[in-house]
Amino acid sequence: MTQDCAVGSALEPKPTICAASNRGARTSVLTTVAALALAVALAACRGGAAPAPTQTPAPGPAPTVPTSPARQASPTPVQSQMTLYIWVSSEFAFAAQPDNAALLQGFAEAYPGIRVHVSVKETYGKGGMVDLLAGASRVAPAYLPDLILLDEDSLEQVAALGLVQPVDVLAPSVRGALFANVQAAGSGVPFAMDFPLLVYRTPMTLPLPLTLGAIAESGGRYAFAVGDEDAAVRSLLAQYVGLGGALVDEEGKAALDSRLLARVLEAYRGLADQGVLAPQVLSLDRDEVWDLYRAGGADFAEVWASQVWGHPSALADADLAALPTADGRPIALARVWSWAIVSPTPERQQAAVQFLAWVLQVGPQSAWCEAAHLVPTQAGAWPLAGLSAAHSEFLLGMAQAATPCPSTLRTPAVASALHTALSQVLKGQLAPRQAAEQALNKIRQQ
């Protein structure tokens, strides 16, 4: 999926594949038919053939993005007019829709010499963002975007290609207002986040902070997304940390303890044996868990902040809590979306830095995250529109406590081993200790 939106006061033709470009000679790299095909695809990604100039759409129903005088510096305009090419993942598809031009209008007014062109890319697969970036870096580097916005796993793959520029050198103060728990997350600039939490029906008298034992004693039904590998593994690892376990060693490698992992699996098996778990949890993904809760099939459900923010009316008779762990600590292993600069050209890097400084102001960041129903990475963007003050305040506290899941535990091999162990225990195929040892043996062999 590719969508495009261009906003700016200075409209310029988009480059075509046959035209000479001031961004370097491209014909030297297009020496094979395959390279030519890739360049054609990338030209389409960057805008394709030159269209007739269009006027910037007038702001419609989309929210007007306020600026933050406290953080807005006097703009240093780029000397020559240019188009800044931005690729975003599908969570931010709204940014490429003409009806949402107001989300970029503030930047166009502050930097009239820079036209912004946003393209939406699926993250993985043939023709996805990672695939296109990898291909362009080899045979058509002139078609690389200037800025990208994508999740942590994808960004690590792009960084491994050597395409991510050192943002802390180019913009040393850009992380200043971000939550301390995400400031050092990866090689990009953390912009939005999502994390698991618990929603439950009220009124219900429960001891806080919640534990799995307290939920079992409540007599309510509990649901979590066992059928969704990523969601299930994050839930399992939160329980592991709640027992005092360390996820990684000093070198950043997976350092799971079989004894603690077995205790987590025993706790889940206990919920199943007591009939606390909703019977269909083995096949549920995160969306189905939310649907089950809303339909009355569960009293407690592990959902995500994005689901809560996207459906505030469903919280009229509900309360929120951190995932129930053994010690009650608010533990959440977050998913993070970050900005990264790709362009190696100093002038284009300057324009990218200016855009980053603008979009990380409170007003623009709040508007973008609200449109995506993702949680912003700075406290100034609170409260969250549409939520009650109590629910917004709770999410703020969780956002300040949530930490990105270590990359070594997000690899397919590690995630598969842990997910298989959980599924086997809940199905009664393996005892918790046996499943834990088997999973860790697979992880050590990687």
Side-chain angles (χ1 to χ4, degrees):
M1 174 185 70
T2 299
Q3 299 178 25
D4 300 289
C5 179
V7 176
S9 59
L11 298 180
E12 65 175 3
K14 301 183 184 72
T16 64
I17 189 167
C18 339
S21 169
N22 62 355
R23 297 192 63 192
R26 296 168 181 167
T27 56
S28 62
V29 295
L30 305 181
T31 58
T32 66
V33 174
L36 179 60
L38 177 61
V40 171
L42 290 167
C45 294
R46 298 266 325 248
T54 57
Q55 296 296 320
T56 301
T64 300
V65 181
T67 58
S68 174
R71 293 189 59 195
Q72 185 169 4
S74 300
T76 303
V78 176
Q79 295 304 311
S80 58
Q81 293 181 354
M82 67 168 63
T83 296
L84 186 70
Y85 292 98
I86 299 176
W87 290 3
V88 300
S89 59
S90 57
E91 292 83 5
F92 301 90
F94 57 85
Q97 296 171 359
D99 290 346
N100 287 330
L103 290 171
L104 292 167
Q105 194 61 38
F107 181 78
E109 294 170 356
Y111 299 94
I114 306 174
R115 179 176 182 267
V116 176
H117 187 281
V118 180
S119 294
V120 184
K121 310 293 178 199
E122 292 295 342
T123 305
Y124 298 107
K126 192 68 174 177
M129 191 185 305
V130 175
D131 178 59
L132 287 172
L133 290 169
S137 67
R138 292 191 302 268
V139 301
Y143 286 100
L144 288 169
D146 302 302
L147 265 173
I148 54 176
L149 174 58
L150 71 177
D151 67 27
E152 67 237 312
D153 291 333
S154 309
L155 181 57
E156 287 178 7
Q157 294 183 40
V158 176
L161 297 171
L163 297 179
V164 176
Q165 306 301 325
V167 69
D168 291 322
V169 174
L170 297 171
S173 61
V174 76
R175 298 179 190 264
L178 304 184
F179 295 137
N181 51 306
V182 300
Q183 279 191 10
S187 52
V189 181
F191 181 69
M193 60 196 301
D194 201 5
F195 46 81
L197 50 87
L198 191 75
V199 60
Y200 62 96
R201 302 190 186 282
T202 56
M204 186 178 288
T205 303
L206 294 168
L208 295 176
L210 283 177
T211 63
L212 287 177
I215 287 177
E217 293 174 1
S218 73
R221 275 286 173 86
Y222 190 91
F224 70 116
V226 182
D228 184 321
E229 182 176 276
D230 177 68
V233 169
R234 289 177 194 257
S235 298
L236 184 153
L237 292 176
Q239 299 296 332
Y240 179 91
V241 174
L243 291 173
L247 298 178
V248 296
D249 59 22
E250 294 179 355
E251 297 178 354
K253 297 179 180 179
L256 301 178
D257 178 88
S258 62
R259 180 181 57 85
L260 293 180
L261 182 57
R263 285 180 58 187
V264 172
L265 296 174
E266 286 169 358
Y268 281 128
R269 182 66 240 176
L271 294 180
D273 291 342
Q274 296 173 65
V276 175
L277 291 184
Q280 60 270 62
V281 295
L282 283 167
S283 62
L284 296 180
D285 61 26
R286 65 185 70 183
D287 290 332
E288 291 168 335
V289 168
W290 177 250
D291 291 341
L292 179 69
Y293 172 79
R294 296 186 67 183
D299 304 291
F300 303 88
E302 292 187 16
V303 297
W304 285 68
S306 57
Q307 294 173 312
V308 167
W309 194 4
H311 302 87
S313 61
L315 303 179
D317 62 345
D319 211 343
L320 305 177
L323 296 186
T325 57
D327 61 2
R329 277 190 294 161
I331 299 167
L333 298 177
R335 188 181 178 198
V336 180
W337 286 261
S338 298
W339 289 101
I341 297 175
V342 173
S343 174
T345 307
E347 182 184 15
R348 305 192 70 81
Q349 289 176 351
Q350 179 191 5
V353 167
Q354 289 168 335
F355 184 86
L356 277 182
W358 172 81
V359 80
L360 282 164
Q361 292 181 76
V362 166
Q365 184 181 19
S366 178
W368 279 55
C369 289
E370 180 180 347
H373 292 139
L374 295 174
V375 177
T377 53
Q378 62 171 314
W382 256 258
L384 303 184
L387 294 180
S388 69
H391 290 153
S392 181
E393 183 179 356
F394 169 80
L395 287 179
L396 173 59
M398 286 295 298
Q400 292 172 317
T403 56
C405 186
S407 59
T408 52
L409 296 174
R410 298 196 311 269
T411 64
V414 172
S416 176
L418 294 174
H419 185 241
T420 298
L422 176 61
S423 298
Q424 289 175 328
V425 167
L426 290 180
K427 291 176 182 177
Q429 296 172 342
L430 286 179
R433 183 170 297 277
Q434 182 183 1
E437 292 174 352
Q438 182 173 290
L440 295 186
N441 285 335
K442 288 181 181 178
I443 292 172
R444 294 186 192 104
Q445 292 170 7
Q446 303 305 314

